[in-house]
C-alpha cells in the first residue's frame, strides 16, 4: 500500500496524474467511479486537464460503484446525475460507455459484475471511505466474497448522507453496490480520504486487523492500492 499525504488540492492533482498516465498507456482503460464529496477535487482537475488537452477519455469506459434504490438518473441525488454533472459532461467520455448500477431495475444487479468482466475488468477503481469504513455501500459485516448486490443502508449512513437531501425521510433506505469482491477484482485502486472525520477509520482500515467489521481493511490484501490522504485524515496513522 502506498500512502500519499498532501493538501486536498495537491492530492487532487497527484491522483489526476494517475489517470493521465493510465490513459496514455491504455486509452481504452476501464475506470471505476465513486461519488461523494471526496472525489470532487479530482473530478474538477480531470476536467481541467481535459480542457488543457492533457487527457482524453474518448476511448475509456467507466463503471460506478453504487446507486440509490428508487432514484432514476434524472433525480438530482442519484449517483448517475452526480457523475454526469460533476464529471462526464466536462470530459470527452462517450456517455454510452459509462455505467452506474441501475437503482430502479434492481433484479439485474448481479449482471453488473458480468458486464465488468466482459469489458475486461476495472483497471483503476476510485474509492472514498465512510466513517464506518464502508467502501461503496458495503457496510460493516459485508462478506469479502460479495458481488454487486442490493443493501439496506445503515441509519448512520442515511444520516451522514441526509445532508444532500431536504430531510432524512427522503434518503433512500436501500442501494445497489458493487460488492467487496467486485472492488478487490480491480487491477489497481485509489482510496481517498479528506478531513478529520475520517482520521479514526483510516487508522483502523490501514493499520488495524483485516476484518469485515471495517470493510475498507480488506484493501490491505490488495496488491496495488494507493491511499491519498490530507494531513487531517492521516492524523492518527
Ligand atoms: P464522502 O463519502 O466522500 O462524501 O465523505 C465517502 C463514502 O461514504 O464512501
Amino acid at each position: 500500500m502506498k500512502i500519499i499525504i498532501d493538501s486536498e488540492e495537491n492530492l487532487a492533482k497527484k491522483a489526476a496524474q494517475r489517470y493521465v498516465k493510465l490513459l496514455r498507456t491504455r486509452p481504452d482503460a476501464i475506470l471505476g467511479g465513486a461519488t461523494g464529496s471526496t472525489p470532487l477535487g479530482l473530478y474538477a482537475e480531470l476536467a481541467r486537464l481535459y480542457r488543457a488537452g492533457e487527457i482524453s477519455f474518448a476511448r475509456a469506459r467507466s463503471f460506478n460503484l453504487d446507486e440509490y434504490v428508487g432514484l432514476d438518473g434524472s433525480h438530482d441525488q442519484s449517483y448517475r446525475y452526480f457523475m454526469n454533472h460533476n464529471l462526464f459532461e466536462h470530459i470527452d467520455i462517450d456517455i454510452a460507455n459509462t455505467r452506474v448500477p441501475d437503482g430502479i431495475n434492481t433484479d439485474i444487479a448481479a449482471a453488473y459484475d458480468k458486464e465488468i468482466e466482459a469489458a475486461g475488468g476495472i483497471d483503476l477503481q476510485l474509492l472514498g471511505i465512510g466513517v464506518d469504513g464502508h467502501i461503496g455501500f458495503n457496510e460493516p459485516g459485508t462478506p469479502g466474497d460479495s458481488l454487486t448486490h442490493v443493501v439496506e443502508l445503515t441509519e448512520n449512513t442515511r444520516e451522514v448522507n441526509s445532508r444532500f437531501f431536504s430531510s432524512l425521510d427522503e434518503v433512500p433506505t436501500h442501494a445497489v453496490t458493487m460488492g467487496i469482491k467486485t472492488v478487490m477484482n480491480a487491477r489497481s485502486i485509489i482510496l481517498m480520504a479528506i478531513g478529520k472525520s475520517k482520521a479514526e477509520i483510516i487508522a483502523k482500515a490501514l493499520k488495524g486487523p483485516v476484518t469485515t467489521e471495517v470493510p475498507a481493511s480488506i484493501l490491505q490484501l490488495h496488491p496495488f492500492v494507493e491511499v491519498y490522504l490530507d494531513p487531517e485524515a492521516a492524523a492518527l496513522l
Side-chain angles (χ1 to χ4, degrees), residues 35-39 65-66 127-132 134-137 157 160-161 163-164 192 194 197-198:
T35 53
S37 316
T38 309
L65 276 172
D66 46 17
L127 298 174
I129 183 170
V131 288
D132 62 358
H134 71 212
I135 47 176
F137 273 128
T157 293
V160 170
N161 289 5
R163 68 191 193 277
F164 301 113
M192 285 188 102
I194 290 159
S197 69
K198 302 289 172 70

PDB file of all heavy atoms in Angstrom, residues 35-39 65-66 127-132 134-137 157 160-161 163-164 192 194 197-198, ligand 1:
ATOM      1  N   THR A  35     -18.691   8.371  -5.966  1.00  0.00           N
ATOM      2  CA  THR A  35     -19.390   9.634  -5.728  1.00  0.00           C
ATOM      3  C   THR A  35     -19.042  10.126  -4.321  1.00  0.00           C
ATOM      4  O   THR A  35     -18.170   9.578  -3.668  1.00  0.00           O
ATOM      5  CB  THR A  35     -20.907   9.433  -5.873  1.00  0.00           C
ATOM      6  OG1 THR A  35     -21.283   8.341  -5.035  1.00  0.00           O
ATOM      7  CG2 THR A  35     -21.283   9.120  -7.311  1.00  0.00           C
ATOM      8  N   GLY A  36     -19.740  11.165  -3.864  1.00  0.00           N
ATOM      9  CA  GLY A  36     -19.461  11.725  -2.537  1.00  0.00           C
ATOM     10  C   GLY A  36     -18.671  13.013  -2.670  1.00  0.00           C
ATOM     11  O   GLY A  36     -18.332  13.443  -3.780  1.00  0.00           O
ATOM     12  N   SER A  37     -18.364  13.610  -1.527  1.00  0.00           N
ATOM     13  CA  SER A  37     -17.644  14.893  -1.534  1.00  0.00           C
ATOM     14  C   SER A  37     -16.176  14.698  -1.899  1.00  0.00           C
ATOM     15  O   SER A  37     -15.558  15.564  -2.534  1.00  0.00           O
ATOM     16  CB  SER A  37     -17.670  15.534  -0.149  1.00  0.00           C
ATOM     17  OG  SER A  37     -18.953  15.443   0.399  1.00  0.00           O
ATOM     18  N   THR A  38     -15.620  13.558  -1.510  1.00  0.00           N
ATOM     19  CA  THR A  38     -14.173  13.356  -1.624  1.00  0.00           C
ATOM     20  C   THR A  38     -13.636  13.470  -3.052  1.00  0.00           C
ATOM     21  O   THR A  38     -12.612  14.115  -3.254  1.00  0.00           O
ATOM     22  CB  THR A  38     -13.793  11.984  -1.009  1.00  0.00           C
ATOM     23  OG1 THR A  38     -14.368  11.922   0.295  1.00  0.00           O
ATOM     24  CG2 THR A  38     -12.298  11.818  -0.922  1.00  0.00           C
ATOM     25  N   PRO A  39     -14.279  12.867  -4.071  1.00  0.00           N
ATOM     26  CA  PRO A  39     -13.671  12.926  -5.401  1.00  0.00           C
ATOM     27  C   PRO A  39     -13.886  14.233  -6.168  1.00  0.00           C
ATOM     28  O   PRO A  39     -13.368  14.367  -7.281  1.00  0.00           O
ATOM     29  CB  PRO A  39     -14.336  11.766  -6.164  1.00  0.00           C
ATOM     30  CG  PRO A  39     -15.486  11.323  -5.370  1.00  0.00           C
ATOM     31  CD  PRO A  39     -15.468  12.009  -4.058  1.00  0.00           C
ATOM     32  N   LEU A  65     -19.462   2.719  -8.655  1.00  0.00           N
ATOM     33  CA  LEU A  65     -19.589   1.822  -7.503  1.00  0.00           C
ATOM     34  C   LEU A  65     -21.018   1.490  -7.113  1.00  0.00           C
ATOM     35  O   LEU A  65     -21.326   0.361  -6.774  1.00  0.00           O
ATOM     36  CB  LEU A  65     -18.988   2.506  -6.266  1.00  0.00           C
ATOM     37  CG  LEU A  65     -17.507   2.426  -6.003  1.00  0.00           C
ATOM     38  CD1 LEU A  65     -17.176   3.362  -4.844  1.00  0.00           C
ATOM     39  CD2 LEU A  65     -17.111   1.001  -5.660  1.00  0.00           C
ATOM     40  N   ASP A  66     -21.879   2.519  -7.102  1.00  0.00           N
ATOM     41  CA  ASP A  66     -23.163   2.294  -6.431  1.00  0.00           C
ATOM     42  C   ASP A  66     -24.237   3.285  -6.882  1.00  0.00           C
ATOM     43  O   ASP A  66     -23.950   4.259  -7.584  1.00  0.00           O
ATOM     44  CB  ASP A  66     -22.979   2.353  -4.901  1.00  0.00           C
ATOM     45  CG  ASP A  66     -22.132   3.542  -4.446  1.00  0.00           C
ATOM     46  OD1 ASP A  66     -21.957   4.484  -5.237  1.00  0.00           O
ATOM     47  OD2 ASP A  66     -21.656   3.514  -3.299  1.00  0.00           O
ATOM     48  N   LEU A 127     -12.064   4.980  -4.760  1.00  0.00           N
ATOM     49  CA  LEU A 127     -12.899   4.748  -3.579  1.00  0.00           C
ATOM     50  C   LEU A 127     -12.816   5.912  -2.607  1.00  0.00           C
ATOM     51  O   LEU A 127     -11.728   6.453  -2.379  1.00  0.00           O
ATOM     52  CB  LEU A 127     -12.420   3.506  -2.809  1.00  0.00           C
ATOM     53  CG  LEU A 127     -12.443   2.147  -3.477  1.00  0.00           C
ATOM     54  CD1 LEU A 127     -11.777   1.128  -2.557  1.00  0.00           C
ATOM     55  CD2 LEU A 127     -13.871   1.722  -3.796  1.00  0.00           C
ATOM     56  N   GLY A 128     -13.945   6.253  -2.001  1.00  0.00           N
ATOM     57  CA  GLY A 128     -13.936   7.055  -0.782  1.00  0.00           C
ATOM     58  C   GLY A 128     -14.103   6.067   0.361  1.00  0.00           C
ATOM     59  O   GLY A 128     -14.126   4.850   0.163  1.00  0.00           O
ATOM     60  N   ILE A 129     -14.244   6.570   1.560  1.00  0.00           N
ATOM     61  CA  ILE A 129     -14.471   5.681   2.711  1.00  0.00           C
ATOM     62  C   ILE A 129     -15.508   6.334   3.623  1.00  0.00           C
ATOM     63  O   ILE A 129     -15.475   7.550   3.837  1.00  0.00           O
ATOM     64  CB  ILE A 129     -13.141   5.388   3.455  1.00  0.00           C
ATOM     65  CG1 ILE A 129     -13.345   4.388   4.615  1.00  0.00           C
ATOM     66  CG2 ILE A 129     -12.484   6.676   3.960  1.00  0.00           C
ATOM     67  CD1 ILE A 129     -12.034   3.878   5.230  1.00  0.00           C
ATOM     68  N   GLY A 130     -16.440   5.533   4.110  1.00  0.00           N
ATOM     69  CA  GLY A 130     -17.416   6.062   5.058  1.00  0.00           C
ATOM     70  C   GLY A 130     -16.818   6.107   6.457  1.00  0.00           C
ATOM     71  O   GLY A 130     -15.826   5.421   6.731  1.00  0.00           O
ATOM     72  N   VAL A 131     -17.403   6.887   7.353  1.00  0.00           N
ATOM     73  CA  VAL A 131     -16.868   6.952   8.724  1.00  0.00           C
ATOM     74  C   VAL A 131     -16.985   5.589   9.418  1.00  0.00           C
ATOM     75  O   VAL A 131     -16.291   5.324  10.394  1.00  0.00           O
ATOM     76  CB  VAL A 131     -17.559   8.052   9.576  1.00  0.00           C
ATOM     77  CG1 VAL A 131     -17.122   9.435   9.114  1.00  0.00           C
ATOM     78  CG2 VAL A 131     -19.064   7.919   9.551  1.00  0.00           C
ATOM     79  N   ASP A 132     -17.837   4.711   8.888  1.00  0.00           N
ATOM     80  CA  ASP A 132     -17.946   3.356   9.443  1.00  0.00           C
ATOM     81  C   ASP A 132     -17.060   2.362   8.673  1.00  0.00           C
ATOM     82  O   ASP A 132     -17.122   1.165   8.911  1.00  0.00           O
ATOM     83  CB  ASP A 132     -19.414   2.885   9.414  1.00  0.00           C
ATOM     84  CG  ASP A 132     -19.989   2.811   8.005  1.00  0.00           C
ATOM     85  OD1 ASP A 132     -19.280   3.155   7.026  1.00  0.00           O
ATOM     86  OD2 ASP A 132     -21.159   2.396   7.870  1.00  0.00           O
ATOM     87  N   HIS A 134     -17.169   1.858   5.370  1.00  0.00           N
ATOM     88  CA  HIS A 134     -17.739   1.289   4.143  1.00  0.00           C
ATOM     89  C   HIS A 134     -16.987   1.752   2.906  1.00  0.00           C
ATOM     90  O   HIS A 134     -16.443   2.851   2.865  1.00  0.00           O
ATOM     91  CB  HIS A 134     -19.259   1.537   4.030  1.00  0.00           C
ATOM     92  CG  HIS A 134     -19.679   2.935   3.761  1.00  0.00           C
ATOM     93  ND1 HIS A 134     -20.863   3.465   4.233  1.00  0.00           N
ATOM     94  CD2 HIS A 134     -19.105   3.941   3.056  1.00  0.00           C
ATOM     95  CE1 HIS A 134     -20.993   4.707   3.818  1.00  0.00           C
ATOM     96  NE2 HIS A 134     -19.935   5.019   3.105  1.00  0.00           N
ATOM     97  N   ILE A 135     -16.940   0.856   1.916  1.00  0.00           N
ATOM     98  CA  ILE A 135     -16.452   1.211   0.582  1.00  0.00           C
ATOM     99  C   ILE A 135     -17.586   0.865  -0.369  1.00  0.00           C
ATOM    100  O   ILE A 135     -18.197  -0.192  -0.235  1.00  0.00           O
ATOM    101  CB  ILE A 135     -15.117   0.503   0.214  1.00  0.00           C
ATOM    102  CG1 ILE A 135     -15.153  -0.990   0.525  1.00  0.00           C
ATOM    103  CG2 ILE A 135     -13.955   1.167   0.911  1.00  0.00           C
ATOM    104  CD1 ILE A 135     -13.892  -1.751   0.098  1.00  0.00           C
ATOM    105  N   GLY A 136     -17.884   1.767  -1.315  1.00  0.00           N
ATOM    106  CA  GLY A 136     -19.177   1.662  -1.969  1.00  0.00           C
ATOM    107  C   GLY A 136     -20.199   1.764  -0.848  1.00  0.00           C
ATOM    108  O   GLY A 136     -20.009   2.528   0.104  1.00  0.00           O
ATOM    109  N   PHE A 137     -21.250   0.977  -0.937  1.00  0.00           N
ATOM    110  CA  PHE A 137     -22.200   0.934   0.189  1.00  0.00           C
ATOM    111  C   PHE A 137     -22.072  -0.394   0.922  1.00  0.00           C
ATOM    112  O   PHE A 137     -23.026  -0.897   1.492  1.00  0.00           O
ATOM    113  CB  PHE A 137     -23.629   1.156  -0.290  1.00  0.00           C
ATOM    114  CG  PHE A 137     -24.038   2.599  -0.382  1.00  0.00           C
ATOM    115  CD1 PHE A 137     -24.587   3.112  -1.553  1.00  0.00           C
ATOM    116  CD2 PHE A 137     -23.906   3.459   0.702  1.00  0.00           C
ATOM    117  CE1 PHE A 137     -24.986   4.437  -1.641  1.00  0.00           C
ATOM    118  CE2 PHE A 137     -24.303   4.788   0.629  1.00  0.00           C
ATOM    119  CZ  PHE A 137     -24.843   5.281  -0.547  1.00  0.00           C
ATOM    120  N   THR A 157     -25.330   5.754   7.938  1.00  0.00           N
ATOM    121  CA  THR A 157     -25.043   6.197   6.567  1.00  0.00           C
ATOM    122  C   THR A 157     -26.161   7.104   6.052  1.00  0.00           C
ATOM    123  O   THR A 157     -25.906   8.128   5.416  1.00  0.00           O
ATOM    124  CB  THR A 157     -24.861   4.963   5.653  1.00  0.00           C
ATOM    125  OG1 THR A 157     -23.664   4.286   6.059  1.00  0.00           O
ATOM    126  CG2 THR A 157     -24.755   5.345   4.195  1.00  0.00           C
ATOM    127  N   VAL A 160     -25.631  10.474   7.647  1.00  0.00           N
ATOM    128  CA  VAL A 160     -24.484  11.192   7.068  1.00  0.00           C
ATOM    129  C   VAL A 160     -24.865  11.747   5.689  1.00  0.00           C
ATOM    130  O   VAL A 160     -24.546  12.886   5.347  1.00  0.00           O
ATOM    131  CB  VAL A 160     -23.243  10.249   6.964  1.00  0.00           C
ATOM    132  CG1 VAL A 160     -22.135  10.886   6.143  1.00  0.00           C
ATOM    133  CG2 VAL A 160     -22.728   9.885   8.353  1.00  0.00           C
ATOM    134  N   ASN A 161     -25.592  10.955   4.899  1.00  0.00           N
ATOM    135  CA  ASN A 161     -25.936  11.381   3.535  1.00  0.00           C
ATOM    136  C   ASN A 161     -27.154  12.297   3.477  1.00  0.00           C
ATOM    137  O   ASN A 161     -27.426  12.889   2.437  1.00  0.00           O
ATOM    138  CB  ASN A 161     -26.153  10.154   2.654  1.00  0.00           C
ATOM    139  CG  ASN A 161     -24.840   9.453   2.363  1.00  0.00           C
ATOM    140  OD1 ASN A 161     -23.799   9.832   2.897  1.00  0.00           O
ATOM    141  ND2 ASN A 161     -24.868   8.438   1.535  1.00  0.00           N
ATOM    142  N   ARG A 163     -27.415  15.106   4.481  1.00  0.00           N
ATOM    143  CA  ARG A 163     -27.030  16.499   4.213  1.00  0.00           C
ATOM    144  C   ARG A 163     -27.317  16.911   2.769  1.00  0.00           C
ATOM    145  O   ARG A 163     -27.429  18.094   2.475  1.00  0.00           O
ATOM    146  CB  ARG A 163     -25.555  16.745   4.576  1.00  0.00           C
ATOM    147  CG  ARG A 163     -24.533  16.035   3.681  1.00  0.00           C
ATOM    148  CD  ARG A 163     -23.131  16.153   4.314  1.00  0.00           C
ATOM    149  NE  ARG A 163     -22.024  15.778   3.442  1.00  0.00           N
ATOM    150  CZ  ARG A 163     -21.623  14.512   3.244  1.00  0.00           C
ATOM    151  NH1 ARG A 163     -22.270  13.512   3.825  1.00  0.00           N
ATOM    152  NH2 ARG A 163     -20.590  14.258   2.461  1.00  0.00           N
ATOM    153  N   PHE A 164     -27.443  15.945   1.880  1.00  0.00           N
ATOM    154  CA  PHE A 164     -27.720  16.260   0.475  1.00  0.00           C
ATOM    155  C   PHE A 164     -29.217  16.272   0.150  1.00  0.00           C
ATOM    156  O   PHE A 164     -29.621  16.626  -0.949  1.00  0.00           O
ATOM    157  CB  PHE A 164     -27.030  15.252  -0.444  1.00  0.00           C
ATOM    158  CG  PHE A 164     -25.539  15.208  -0.259  1.00  0.00           C
ATOM    159  CD1 PHE A 164     -24.909  14.081   0.262  1.00  0.00           C
ATOM    160  CD2 PHE A 164     -24.754  16.301  -0.596  1.00  0.00           C
ATOM    161  CE1 PHE A 164     -23.533  14.037   0.435  1.00  0.00           C
ATOM    162  CE2 PHE A 164     -23.375  16.279  -0.430  1.00  0.00           C
ATOM    163  CZ  PHE A 164     -22.764  15.138   0.095  1.00  0.00           C
ATOM    164  N   MET A 192      -9.280   7.517  -1.384  1.00  0.00           N
ATOM    165  CA  MET A 192      -9.053   8.907  -0.966  1.00  0.00           C
ATOM    166  C   MET A 192      -9.848   9.208   0.288  1.00  0.00           C
ATOM    167  O   MET A 192     -11.002   8.778   0.416  1.00  0.00           O
ATOM    168  CB  MET A 192      -9.556   9.886  -2.037  1.00  0.00           C
ATOM    169  CG  MET A 192      -8.695   9.992  -3.258  1.00  0.00           C
ATOM    170  SD  MET A 192      -9.301  11.336  -4.312  1.00  0.00           S
ATOM    171  CE  MET A 192      -8.116  12.594  -3.901  1.00  0.00           C
ATOM    172  N   ILE A 194     -10.428  12.675   3.100  1.00  0.00           N
ATOM    173  CA  ILE A 194     -10.101  14.068   3.422  1.00  0.00           C
ATOM    174  C   ILE A 194     -10.835  14.470   4.694  1.00  0.00           C
ATOM    175  O   ILE A 194     -12.025  14.181   4.844  1.00  0.00           O
ATOM    176  CB  ILE A 194     -10.496  14.977   2.227  1.00  0.00           C
ATOM    177  CG1 ILE A 194      -9.557  14.708   1.040  1.00  0.00           C
ATOM    178  CG2 ILE A 194     -10.466  16.460   2.616  1.00  0.00           C
ATOM    179  CD1 ILE A 194     -10.100  15.130  -0.280  1.00  0.00           C
ATOM    180  N   SER A 197     -12.827  13.936  10.187  1.00  0.00           N
ATOM    181  CA  SER A 197     -13.872  12.937  10.481  1.00  0.00           C
ATOM    182  C   SER A 197     -13.455  11.543   9.991  1.00  0.00           C
ATOM    183  O   SER A 197     -14.011  10.540  10.419  1.00  0.00           O
ATOM    184  CB  SER A 197     -15.204  13.341   9.851  1.00  0.00           C
ATOM    185  OG  SER A 197     -15.120  13.239   8.444  1.00  0.00           O
ATOM    186  N   LYS A 198     -12.452  11.489   9.094  1.00  0.00           N
ATOM    187  CA  LYS A 198     -12.023  10.196   8.541  1.00  0.00           C
ATOM    188  C   LYS A 198     -10.775   9.642   9.241  1.00  0.00           C
ATOM    189  O   LYS A 198     -10.352   8.522   8.954  1.00  0.00           O
ATOM    190  CB  LYS A 198     -11.745  10.325   7.032  1.00  0.00           C
ATOM    191  CG  LYS A 198     -12.935  10.813   6.195  1.00  0.00           C
ATOM    192  CD  LYS A 198     -14.022   9.761   6.092  1.00  0.00           C
ATOM    193  CE  LYS A 198     -15.286  10.272   5.432  1.00  0.00           C
ATOM    194  NZ  LYS A 198     -15.178  10.545   4.017  1.00  0.00           N
TER     195      LYS A 198
HETATM  196  P1  LIG B   1     -17.733  11.316   1.194  1.00  0.00           P
HETATM  197  O1  LIG B   1     -18.345   9.850   1.197  1.00  0.00           O
HETATM  198  O2  LIG B   1     -16.730  11.364   0.093  1.00  0.00           O
HETATM  199  O3  LIG B   1     -18.900  12.220   0.930  1.00  0.00           O
HETATM  200  O4  LIG B   1     -17.105  11.521   2.523  1.00  0.00           O
HETATM  201  C1  LIG B   1     -17.481   8.756   1.197  1.00  0.00           C
HETATM  202  C2  LIG B   1     -18.270   7.478   1.394  1.00  0.00           C
HETATM  203  O5  LIG B   1     -19.261   7.474   2.146  1.00  0.00           O
HETATM  204  O6  LIG B   1     -17.880   6.471   0.795  1.00  0.00           O
END
